[in-house]
Amino acid sequence: MSWALIADSSCNLRGYTPSAPDTIYRFAPLKVNVGGQEYVDDEALDVAELNRRVAAEESATSSACPSVGEWADRFRSADNVIAITISANLSGSYEAAIMARDLVLEEDGSRNIFIVNSRAAGGKLELLIVALDRYLTEHPDATFNEVTAYICNVEQSSTVLFLLSSYENLAKAGRMPKVAGMLANKLNIRMLGTASSEGTIKVLGPARSQKKAFEKIIGSMREDGFQGGDVFIDHAFNEKAAEDLAARITAEWPTAKATILPCGGLCSYYAETDGLIIGYGW
């Protein structure tokens, strides 16, 4: 039986090849609309150019989820499909995936399709995809129900942190309180946030320096019960800070394995320049 691990492009894995046998990885692209032009968040996107256009655009910009048809196309890729979406409280991607699942199952009821609402974005989706791949590699005879039970458990015991320097796009899109975004921008301070249990953005507090921000991140990870393992650090044109944070995490937990990835279009649009998104589990 073949497997497909599918995510939307809020997952920043690009060109990922699973290790598990008979398993593929594909992603469904979100879109960013700037000045009447649609930018598709796929491998061909020039992320730097997108961010230049967003910064220069005086009119409103927005994002859009993958279509039902795009999800359905990917769901036809294998007998068993596990799809992971950006938080249902941040995008319509989850609902589009649900509709696509129903459409494909009407065509062929022998398929197995399971949709996971990540309740997050960025690094948590990468963590879930890699965990799925590892599980399928180590348990090649696992049933579909065993795999779905496993990934639900991982989803419940993982999260993301956001360390952002600009909040304009998040606030404009209603993804975080406008007052918090305006205050942070005005004071020119970094803001640390996390994903709430409902999958919305929860502001944890300010950090006036990178050192203090990193200490807050370490403290949050410790409080969550992190003891080592995979950590995914996505950055929006801030690889040096991502490397410094990875070094700080591995100094605290020598068994941690930090993977650094550049943000794709959707995550860079919301994280904005210098932003970091950190995904981890416990």
Side-chain angles (χ1 to χ4, degrees):
M1 298 287 282
S2 58
W3 290 82
L5 311 181
I6 313 291
D8 60 38
S9 62
S10 69
C11 175
N12 293 301
L13 292 174
R14 300 291 187 266
Y16 180 73
T17 301
S19 300
D22 299 317
T23 302
I24 62 170
Y25 168 73
R26 297 182 67 187
F27 70 90
L30 290 104
K31 292 90 179 172
V32 178
N33 300 297
V34 184
Q37 182 174 351
E38 181 179 81
Y39 290 82
V40 179
D41 188 14
D42 59 15
E43 295 96 335
L45 178 66
D46 185 334
V47 178
E49 175 60 21
L50 168 65
N51 281 264
R52 284 192 290 269
R53 283 294 312 278
V54 170
E57 182 59 42
E58 295 182 358
S59 61
T61 59
S62 62
S63 61
C65 68
S67 69
V68 172
E70 288 171 316
W71 277 117
D73 172 70
R74 286 151 181 80
F75 291 170
R76 298 184 184 104
S77 299
D79 303 308
N80 299 313
V81 176
I82 308 290
I84 303 172
T85 75
I86 188 174
S87 174
N89 274 323
L90 298 178
S91 169
S93 187
Y94 177 77
E95 292 300 326
I98 292 292
M99 288 187 282
R101 178 200 63 189
D102 295 344
L103 175 66
V104 173
L105 290 180
E106 283 183 8
E107 298 170 354
D108 182 357
S110 68
R111 295 182 188 275
N112 295 308
I113 303 173
F114 188 74
I115 316 296
V116 180
N117 171 16
S118 74
R119 299 182 299 153
K124 182 174 177 179
L125 280 81
E126 293 135 34
L127 181 80
L128 295 178
I129 290 292
V130 171
L132 271 171
D133 183 21
R134 184 179 297 125
Y135 184 83
L136 289 170
T137 300
E138 296 173 353
H139 304 85
D141 298 322
T143 66
F144 190 76
N145 286 342
E146 287 171 338
V147 176
T148 58
Y150 168 77
I151 199 58
C152 286
N153 181 62
V154 177
E155 190 282 319
Q156 289 290 326
S157 57
S158 55
T159 192
V160 287
L161 294 171
F162 308 88
L163 180 62
L164 308 182
S165 298
S166 178
Y167 319 88
E168 185 173 353
N169 292 335
L170 277 172
K172 283 182 178 179
R175 303 307 197 261
M176 71 177 292
K178 287 188 177 181
V179 173
M182 291 173 60
L183 180 62
N185 279 333
K186 185 176 182 179
L187 297 177
N188 193 30
I189 58 176
R190 293 171 178 262
M191 191 74 76
L192 184 65
T194 188
S196 71
S197 59
E198 296 81 18
T200 57
I201 294 175
K202 177 182 177 182
V203 176
L204 296 178
R208 292 187 175 274
S209 69
Q210 179 169 289
K211 181 179 179 180
K212 290 182 178 179
F214 286 1
E215 290 308 311
K216 284 180 177 288
I217 290 171
I218 295 297
S220 292
M221 294 175 71
R222 187 183 297 114
E223 288 177 10
D224 284 334
F226 181 77
Q227 297 179 350
D230 287 325
V231 181
F232 287 84
I233 305 173
D234 303 335
H235 69 90
F237 310 102
N238 198 4
E239 187 172 9
K240 178 62 166 59
E243 291 173 346
D244 291 345
L245 176 58
R248 180 66 185 85
I249 290 170
T250 54
E252 186 74 20
W253 294 283
T255 60
K257 178 186 177 183
T259 300
I260 296 171
L261 296 170
C263 286
L266 190 282
C267 284
S268 68
Y269 172 68
Y270 284 118
E272 301 188 56
T273 300
D274 292 340
L276 299 178
I277 307 173
I278 306 100
Y280 59 93
W282 52 86

